[in-house]
Amino acid sequence: MVIKPKVRGFICTNAHPKGCAANVQRQIEYVKQQPKLDNAPKNVLVIGSSTGYGLASRIMAAFNGGASTLGVFFEKPASEKKTGSAGWYNSAAFQHAAEAEGLWSKNINGDAFSDECKQQTIDLIKAEMGKIDLVVYSLASPRRKHPKTGELISSTLKPIEQAYTAKNLNTDKLLIEDVTIEPANQEEIDSTVAVMGGEDWEMWIDALKDADVLADGVKTVAYTYIGDKLTWPIYGDATIGKAKEHLYQTSLKLNETLADKGGEASIGVLKALVTQASSAIPIMPLYISLLYKVMKEEGTHEGCIEQAYRLFAQGLYTNEPLKDPEGRYRMDLPELKPETQAKVEALWPQVTSENIFELTDYKSYNEDFLKLFGFGFEEVDYDEDVSPVVELDA
């Protein structure tokens, strides 16, 4: 079939296999061009490895550090009449590239929140990997089936205590309009923490440790975003913020859990980027479009793979890591520079539906959004008749 993007709201409902492969290959080429890490991890488990920062972390570990990697994800394969998900194609492209370079790489496609998926992962590690020295936790799901109660829990993107009204970019209609979000109730707060907080991360580490598949000196990292004044009402002082605070508190607990192995649990604070998760958050498309403009002008803009490389090189695997007083790796500092935020804040009230393309870099935002699904790569012929079916042993 000839595959063209089908965008609905903040999601693209199809993906292009060759475009996704091009996206993965570009990231591989980037990390192969960077200096090699001296003490890179050798056996890496990435939970949530098929898109965004999780995929970039797996690429970094494998193609810069030469690691054996096990990726866990929940993605949809294609049929003859419908494309697979972008994450499926990304993972297939990663697998193909890893095999071409003789790198050990396997995949588990399943519900990472489930006990069954955890056990399947442990069994595979025992059979083929030895012990894991890095666990990356990068799940981004709007809902979770709790493995103990069976309850299906959904997260919400809401402020706390009072309604929040702000300028928003409607990406469907390319209109600047106000959006009002009503405050969350306690049940919604608790549910968001249950889905996006640290409980599942802790369950993973407990299960892996109990099964004795963690190496001495093991590291584990989970990802978060903090932001500044413009994003704080919907991201920081909001349901997501409560979940991310729980994630941080979980890292402190996991440091105690891993102490007897000389291990470390940490939080990687990363910059705002176009991801499948961030595009769903109100005000973020406008904020990111403005941030791209400012940071590109300053020469400080980075994508997922650049952030992943710096996290490894300047955070996880250096003797002088970029950490804040709370012990979090801070790869987001260029975004939060006062002068950078001041420029974004100055542009914010000036943006209208008529001047979006002049005052923001929405063009790059939209291009990056489509690239998440494999569209917009000049090396790909999008008029070509291609099979959507791509095999992946997962």
Side-chain angles (χ1 to χ4, degrees):
M1 66 176 67
V2 175
I3 304 171
K4 304 288 185 180
K6 297 178 181 178
V7 178
R8 185 176 69 232
F10 55 82
I11 196 72
C12 186
T13 60
N14 63 349
H16 198 286
K18 290 191 174 182
C20 289
N23 188 16
V24 169
Q25 190 58 42
R26 285 190 180 189
Q27 294 181 67
I28 290 171
E29 290 170 0
Y30 175 81
V31 298
K32 289 173 71 173
Q33 292 167 3
Q34 306 311 307
K36 299 283 186 181
L37 299 186
D38 292 333
N39 54 344
K42 295 307 176 188
N43 285 323
V44 177
L45 169 63
V46 183
I47 304 160
S49 66
S50 55
T51 61
Y53 281 122
L55 173 64
S57 301
R58 190 180 188 189
I59 290 171
M60 173 60 201
F63 291 96
N64 182 278
S68 299
T69 64
L70 174 55
V72 179
F73 48 80
F74 192 42
E75 297 292 350
K76 178 173 63 69
S79 66
E80 290 293 343
K81 295 183 178 180
K82 191 171 183 180
T83 72
S85 59
W88 180 271
Y89 293 143
N90 291 340
S91 300
F94 175 93
Q95 186 69 28
H96 178 78
E99 290 173 353
E101 299 208 6
L103 294 168
W104 189 96
S105 168
K106 290 205 171 177
N107 310 285
I108 292 176
N109 189 28
D111 178 8
F113 295 128
S114 70
D115 290 340
E116 292 79 9
C117 186
K118 292 177 176 67
Q119 188 59 52
Q120 187 181 1
T121 301
I122 289 166
D123 291 344
L124 183 52
I125 292 169
K126 284 184 173 181
E128 301 191 36
M129 293 187 78
K131 296 197 176 184
I132 299 294
D133 51 7
L134 174 64
V135 181
V136 175
Y137 188 86
S138 186
L139 283 188
S141 173
R143 62 191 62 86
R144 173 189 180 208
K145 184 177 181 180
H146 198 282
K148 307 306 179 188
T149 67
E151 179 186 4
L152 185 62
I153 311 167
S154 295
S155 62
T156 57
L157 307 173
K158 289 186 176 183
I160 293 174
E161 293 187 355
Q162 59 185 9
Y164 173 59
T165 299
K167 181 179 287 189
N168 184 56
L169 170 55
N170 183 323
T171 55
D172 272 351
K173 301 177 181 178
L174 282 185
L175 291 176
I176 299 294
E177 54 192 16
D178 283 347
V179 59
T180 297
I181 308 164
E182 296 301 319
N185 57 39
Q186 191 60 49
E187 181 181 352
E188 290 172 321
I189 296 170
D190 294 343
S191 294
T192 304
V193 171
V195 175
M196 304 174 69
E199 184 184 38
D200 184 63
W201 183 25
E202 184 176 9
M203 286 179 171
W204 268 100
I205 299 303
D206 285 346
L208 293 165
K209 187 184 180 190
D210 290 345
D212 194 26
V213 294
L214 296 179
D216 290 341
V218 64
K219 295 177 182 285
T220 182
V221 62
Y223 296 148
T224 195
Y225 175 74
I226 292 178
D228 208 339
K229 184 167 62 178
L230 284 172
T231 59
W232 189 252
I234 194 60
Y235 212 106
D237 190 20
T239 52
I240 305 176
K242 290 293 185 184
K244 296 304 184 181
E245 173 59 27
H246 188 272
L247 192 71
Y248 170 68
Q249 293 299 326
T250 301
S251 74
L252 303 182
K253 290 175 63 179
L254 291 179
N255 270 313
E256 297 177 4
T257 300
L258 297 173
D260 63 339
K261 302 190 75 66
E264 174 194 273
S266 55
I267 299 293
V269 187
L270 305 174
K271 77 181 287 281
L273 284 173
V274 183
T275 65
Q276 292 185 37
S278 69
S279 61
I281 302 172
I283 86 163
M284 290 304 286
L286 177 56
Y287 172 77
I288 293 172
S289 297
L290 287 167
L291 184 71
Y292 273 26
K293 177 181 176 64
V294 171
M295 294 191 75
K296 286 182 178 181
E297 290 172 351
E298 294 178 341
T300 58
H301 174 70
E302 292 177 320
C304 279
I305 197 63
E306 291 87 359
Q307 285 270 289
Y309 178 79
R310 282 210 301 117
L311 175 69
F312 278 63
Q314 299 177 13
L316 289 165
Y317 297 101
T318 178
N319 292 326
E320 297 180 352
L322 287 173
K323 279 189 173 183
D324 62 18
E326 288 74 32
R328 300 171 297 193
Y329 296 115
R330 297 304 298 266
M331 301 301 113
D332 63 334
L333 295 181
E335 174 186 348
L336 299 187
K337 286 194 306 183
E339 56 268 37
T340 300
Q341 287 296 309
K343 292 174 185 175
V344 175
E345 290 173 19
L347 288 169
W348 185 270
Q350 300 178 47
V351 181
T352 66
S353 301
E354 290 71 36
N355 62 21
I356 292 171
F357 289 95
E358 288 73 40
L359 293 190
T360 82
D361 193 9
Y362 176 73
K363 180 176 182 291
S364 291
Y365 175 96
N366 189 54
E367 288 172 350
D368 280 4
F369 173 80
L370 290 173
K371 284 177 178 176
L372 295 175
F373 305 92
F375 298 104
F377 293 95
E378 59 267 19
E379 61 265 43
V380 177
D381 179 2
Y382 291 99
D383 293 320
E384 180 187 5
D385 188 0
V386 298
S387 171
V389 176
V390 174
E391 296 300 324
L392 171 62
D393 183 11

